[in-house]
Amino acid sequence: MLLGWLVFQWIIFGVFAASALLYKQYCYHHILGITFSRVHARHPEVKKVVHSFTLACFGVLILSIVLGALTLLPLFKGGIELLMFPYIGLNLLLNSFIVVFYQKKLRRIKEEHKWIYPRAGTENSKPAAFTKQKRNGLSSFLMWLFFGISLVPLILLFLRPDLQGSYPIGIAFIGPVCQLITIFPYYRTWQRYKRPISSNEEVNLWFLEQEDKIQAHSAFGYSLSMLIFWLMFYFVMTQNPIRFFIFIPVFLFTISLLLIGYWQQEKIAKLEDAFYLKVPEEEDKAEEQDSYYVLWFYVNPEDPRFLVPKRSPNIGWTINMGNTAGKLTGVVILIFTLGIIGLSIYGSQKDYNIAVQESSLVIDAAMYDMSVPKEDIISASIIDQLPANRRTNGYGGVKKSFGHFFVEGYGKTMFYVYNDVGEYILIKLKGSNPGYIIMNEKTTDDTKALYQNINDWFHK
């Protein structure tokens, strides 16, 4: 389980690093969100700053991985749940600092060389050449076919209710919803505003058509990756008892998204190269745009749009935090994120309190309190090894596991378990939801004492 937490943490570090590195690519006359003409982007000073930025990103990634690996030392035993979120926050903070620091360096170079570009025009109307929405070479049928296939795990769960213990029905609904969301970028490729970049309308039309195809193929790749991820996730959850393998589809999905983003930017860069072979050098129309970004956030009260392209449009879209809908969404996301972090820390630190009362067994645990009437208990016994199990709705940390689990040979079971204690109390209940409770105390001696107390009470 400890290794699983580390893998999850390292995947997040890798995503942050890859996002920052994609941001440095010269695309749409921008490097790190700073405007440069094509000629100026090739200036040695600019290249030196970009190279230094790349080394800094890798440095932060390596530092973060090393700090994460330190939790394997005995000194930090059992503390990874507390350290994981600060580590992720520190990694995000360092990546943000690097971006801001090197943006200032690039702006300083522009000021020293007096590279001044005309201001960009507004984007509130489409050029006449593009009033007719043009398809991009990929049929929308494939996107909707992927959505239909994403419903397969949900259908299988209805046909095989016994699998719902391993793969809750609620998770099965998330897959199709995510698949539906991936259809949005496909339609955005031919519904978005397309700014002309040349006075030659024929060349301009050729460029934007090719760009649409690249964007559409990228959207297709994202959708296919999402489908494969959820199918693999379903298979691992229902067919493999080893929980660590859950990270395989997560890892592959993350890598595929990063590779698609990289491919997308490389294709756009090559397209721009081909474009500038077709037009005079003076057509290199770099235009300064007002910066409405505060770190990673787009804030523009004058922009009515809810979703806007990111500073590097190939990476996707972001929320406009400057209008009411964006602010509300940001607040909801912040509350949700802080809530998850708070509950995880609270659950990892709060101990179980198991009390035998006159007519019931009362268990006090974070978010999963339980009171079991004496007449609902069939038997109590001691086991020295946990059977193969999967968490379905609960907490699975390094030190302890609690909540709803599905246990091989037992079915739906409630866990209140300290993981590093070698003995467990198995309580069999009437019914099957749950059919069992598995619990223990912090030490073997305390677990035996609790078992004796429960056994005496039960047979009284």
Side-chain angles (χ1 to χ4, degrees):
M1 176 55 76
L2 176 59
L3 184 58
W5 281 87
L6 285 177
V7 170
F8 173 72
Q9 190 180 75
W10 291 341
I11 287 174
I12 293 177
F13 293 159
V15 170
F16 287 165
S19 298
L21 290 171
L22 285 174
Y23 192 35
K24 76 179 178 64
Q25 298 290 102
Y26 182 69
C27 189
Y28 296 110
H29 291 115
H30 286 88
I31 300 175
L32 293 180
I34 308 300
T35 304
F36 287 96
S37 70
R38 195 168 189 78
V39 173
H40 295 159
R42 294 195 291 262
H43 193 278
E45 289 185 39
V46 175
K47 286 187 173 183
K48 184 178 179 181
V49 170
V50 172
H51 178 69
S52 180
F53 172 80
T54 302
L55 293 178
C57 287
F58 279 111
V60 169
L61 176 61
I62 293 171
L63 174 64
S64 300
I65 290 175
V66 170
L67 287 176
L70 288 178
T71 55
L72 293 171
L73 297 175
L75 177 66
F76 298 102
K77 184 180 179 182
I80 188 171
E81 293 101 329
L82 284 177
L83 294 173
M84 184 181 72
F85 294 113
Y87 279 177
I88 293 174
L90 176 62
N91 179 271
L92 180 60
L93 184 64
L94 288 175
N95 278 298
S96 301
F97 171 78
I98 288 171
V99 170
V100 173
F101 178 76
Y102 283 96
Q103 281 178 332
K104 289 181 179 179
K105 281 197 165 190
L106 292 174
R107 288 193 183 99
R108 192 177 305 121
I109 291 173
K110 288 179 65 175
E111 291 173 1
E112 291 173 354
H113 290 276
K114 301 187 185 310
W115 294 337
I116 301 173
Y117 310 117
R119 304 299 301 177
T122 58
E123 296 190 356
N124 52 14
S125 62
K126 295 185 179 180
F130 294 92
T131 53
K132 292 184 178 179
Q133 294 174 343
K134 191 170 181 64
R135 293 286 181 172
N136 39 44
L138 278 176
S139 171
S140 60
F141 170 77
L142 290 174
M143 311 297 287
W144 290 105
L145 176 63
F146 291 164
F147 172 70
I149 296 174
S150 71
L151 296 171
V152 169
L154 187 61
I155 296 171
L156 290 176
L157 289 177
F158 279 115
L159 297 176
R160 291 277 308 277
D162 57 299
L163 294 177
Q164 294 182 21
S166 302
Y167 197 83
I169 198 75
I171 294 180
F173 276 103
I174 297 176
V177 171
C178 291
Q179 198 66 45
L180 198 60
I181 291 173
T182 63
I183 298 176
F184 169 74
Y186 170 82
Y187 284 102
R188 285 283 294 182
T189 62
W190 54 278
Q191 292 178 336
R192 65 192 175 90
Y193 169 83
K194 305 174 178 69
R195 181 170 59 88
I197 59 175
S198 170
S199 58
N200 185 325
E201 187 155 322
E202 183 179 343
V203 173
N204 198 46
L205 180 61
W206 168 83
F207 177 88
L208 295 176
E209 285 179 354
Q210 297 303 313
E211 184 190 36
D212 269 1
K213 289 181 181 179
I214 294 172
Q215 301 284 9
H217 281 83
S218 299
F220 175 83
Y222 291 134
S223 185
L224 180 59
S225 298
M226 181 68 74
L227 175 64
I228 293 174
F229 164 72
W230 281 107
L231 293 179
M232 287 183 64
F233 190 73
Y234 169 80
F235 176 80
V236 170
M237 288 285 287
T238 57
Q239 305 299 323
N240 198 308
I242 303 176
R243 286 182 289 180
F244 177 77
F245 283 104
I246 293 174
F247 289 97
I248 293 178
V250 175
F251 176 76
L252 293 177
F253 179 60
T254 303
I255 293 298
S256 68
L257 294 184
L258 295 176
L259 288 176
I260 292 169
Y262 176 78
W263 172 88
Q264 190 177 15
Q265 288 213 340
E266 285 295 302
K267 293 291 286 186
I268 292 292
K270 290 180 180 179
L271 178 61
E272 289 181 341
D273 288 338
F275 165 75
Y276 285 107
L277 292 175
K278 295 177 178 287
V279 299
E281 189 167 310
E282 57 268 19
E283 288 269 0
D284 184 5
K285 293 184 177 179
E287 294 180 331
E288 290 284 5
Q289 297 182 7
D290 292 327
S291 178
Y292 295 103
Y293 279 90
V294 180
L295 290 179
W296 303 101
F297 305 103
Y298 179 85
V299 183
N300 183 4
E302 304 301 321
D303 190 340
R305 293 175 298 175
F306 173 67
L307 290 175
V308 297
K310 292 186 177 180
R311 282 178 284 195
S312 290
N314 293 333
I315 299 177
W317 296 268
T318 188
I319 297 172
N320 179 9
M321 304 292 287
N323 57 39
T324 303
K327 290 177 182 176
L328 290 175
T329 303
V331 169
V332 170
I333 292 174
L334 178 62
I335 292 174
F336 179 78
T337 302
L338 293 178
I340 293 295
I341 294 173
L343 289 175
S344 297
I345 294 175
Y346 174 64
S348 68
Q349 298 305 303
K350 178 177 170 58
D351 293 330
Y352 313 129
N353 183 16
I354 303 172
V356 176
Q357 297 185 356
E358 183 176 348
S359 60
S360 62
L361 179 66
V362 178
I363 304 170
D364 177 24
M367 302 172 288
Y368 292 95
D369 294 345
M370 190 174 187
S371 179
V372 185
K374 186 175 182 179
E375 58 268 21
D376 287 348
I377 299 175
I378 297 176
S379 64
S381 59
I382 284 277
I383 57 176
D384 58 9
Q385 188 174 0
L386 281 177
N389 61 83
R390 295 189 186 92
R391 176 168 51 95
T392 57
N393 179 13
Y395 178 85
V398 176
K399 293 198 317 183
K400 56 186 178 179
S401 303
F402 59 90
H404 299 270
F405 283 68
F406 185 84
V407 181
E408 198 73 31
Y410 294 86
K412 296 179 180 179
T413 303
M414 291 297 293
F415 267 36
Y416 301 96
V417 169
Y418 294 97
N419 296 327
D420 57 354
V421 179
E423 289 194 347
Y424 312 90
I425 302 171
L426 175 68
I427 296 179
K428 185 177 181 181
L429 304 175
K430 295 177 182 178
S432 60
N433 192 21
Y436 294 86
I437 302 173
I438 297 179
M439 64 177 73
N440 63 4
E441 290 284 5
K442 288 185 175 180
T443 67
T444 300
D445 290 340
D446 288 343
T447 300
K448 289 179 178 178
L450 176 62
Y451 169 70
Q452 189 61 49
N453 190 18
I454 292 174
N455 207 35
D456 292 343
W457 166 76
F458 178 65
H459 289 98
K460 186 183 295 184

